[in-house]
Amino acid sequence: MSESHYVEDKNIHNERTGGDFRFHATSSAIEQLLDTLNRQSPINLEFITRPLNKAFNSRVYSLETIYAKSRIFRLLVRKGVNPILLFVSLTAGMAGGLRRFYKQSTQLALNLLGVVYPAWKCWQLVKEQSDQQQQPLDGVNREREYKSWLTYWMIYGTFQVLDNWTYDILSIFPNYNVYKLAILYWLQSPHSKGAFLLCHQVIQKPSYPDSSACSSSSPTPTASYSIPSTPESNHADDDDNDDPLTLTIEPPKSSANSTPSILDGYTPTLQPRTPPSIIATNTITTEKQDQPYSLLEAEAAW
């Protein structure tokens, strides 16, 4: 549970209980203790106190909210019983009963922990989906809830398969059931949101841009060379400009159906060497046309 959600839930519950802060005296005392520690400490301790307040005190507040729903708890608090002492007594008694139940029937306790709360949350999602009158969640939160609980049930099913070799696993890892209990609680807890973190940080792979699309979208580099004009070419045509020639070399465009060749489709060919004076001229025009020889001229030449 984030800090903003914790404060918001606290304000909502205070409105429902008529603003009686005695029902949350334990969490308020812990907040005051951490605040006093921050103020009186010679160094900054918020890097320790802030995570403690977020992780520990939010769970204490959640337990107090559950206890405050009981009429007996509210009656005892209003009769003058110390709420901190009452909270500690109820929590210690509940913890002792759960520990005894876990020792007597470990598998039943693990199955109850792994099924009851997740099944109830999934039932709420199904009911909310089918109920048209209730205002639905936005698409992003709904998708996160679905992915989180699907991830949880995947891991829970994996543990159920591993339970077929419980005796072999316990011989290697004697505290296997304790680890399983802690992992299941971490995955389904609304405070830690382990299933959500596991889904988005480990299982779900981020989308990477396509390398072929990036390479195709990049422009093809071209090379340009400037060839200065020679004095001979300037005397050949005085009316032409004296600007140097620019030779641009572009690689051939490869098509999908073309067969790849050397240098991505470019095949070099041998060409006769051209004199520099001809390369340097701006315009080269040949007015000489091929004319057919007559039969008499051909015989005379022969």
Side-chain angles (χ1 to χ4, degrees), residues 82-102:
N82 189 351
I84 298 178
L85 180 62
L86 186 59
F87 173 82
V88 173
S89 302
L90 287 176
T91 306
M94 186 173 59
L98 291 175
R99 184 172 179 271
R100 183 176 180 181
F101 176 71
Y102 173 79

Side-chain angles (χ1 to χ4, degrees), residues 121-134:
K121 293 296 290 184
C122 292
W123 168 250
Q124 282 187 339
L125 289 176
V126 173
K127 186 178 179 181
E128 186 179 272
Q129 180 71 21
S130 59
D131 191 2
Q132 300 296 334
Q133 296 180 357
Q134 187 176 3

